[in-house]
Amino acid sequence: MTKFMNDPTMPTPSFPGSHMVMDDRYVFISGLTVSDLSNGHAAKGDVKEETRLVMRAILRMLEMEGGSLADVLRVDVHLTDLKTINDMDSVYAEFFEPGRYPARTCTESPNICGGCHVEITVMATRQLPKEQ
């Protein structure tokens, strides 16, 4: 069964969509920016801090569903300037076990919503409770 959910710790999306959609196998997390987070506005413009806050939000959302970043299969990263990819990578890599990085696409998107510099979208396997 498909479940559509918004993270109760974040503002309701200003777009016609959900923060997360889950089915029996996967968790899909919509593209997140620091402007989607209640506490993220001060981080705008610092690619490292934007990445850190967004990755922490993604981790929290996965944990709400019993998962972790180890369950992430695919990540899409949008940067306003690809020249900042090394800064983003230096923080991004901290969230995964070395050698076990998800498949990833990173593109330059000069106009990310909310004036942010980083947007991250995730697809992860879903950890369902074990039947007894």
Side-chain angles (χ1 to χ4, degrees), residues 21-61:
V21 176
M22 287 88 46
D23 65 13
D24 291 339
R25 297 183 66 200
Y26 301 105
V27 176
F28 300 92
I29 298 179
S30 291
L32 289 179
T33 67
V34 291
S35 67
D36 296 317
L37 310 176
S38 322
N39 63 345
H41 298 288
K44 276 188 195 172
D46 181 336
V47 170
K48 288 183 175 185
E49 192 57 21
E50 285 189 30
T51 302
R52 184 172 289 108
L53 289 174
V54 169
M55 290 301 295
R56 285 180 185 158
I58 289 168
L59 172 59
R60 186 189 68 256
M61 293 168 79

Side-chain angles (χ1 to χ4, degrees), residues 93-123:
E94 296 172 8
F95 287 86
F96 299 98
E97 182 182 327
R100 294 187 50 90
Y101 301 110
R104 189 179 92 182
T105 299
C106 189
T107 61
E108 184 171 284
S109 302
N111 295 305
I112 293 176
C113 202
C116 299
H117 294 83
V118 178
E119 181 173 9
I120 302 174
T121 305
V122 167
M123 176 185 169

Side-chain angles (χ1 to χ4, degrees), residues 77-99:
V77 179
H78 302 277
L79 298 170
T80 55
D81 184 351
L82 273 178
K83 292 180 184 126
T84 64
I85 194 169
N86 291 331
D87 288 338
M88 183 276 301
D89 276 341
S90 69
V91 173
Y92 174 89
E94 296 172 8
F95 287 86
F96 299 98
E97 182 182 327

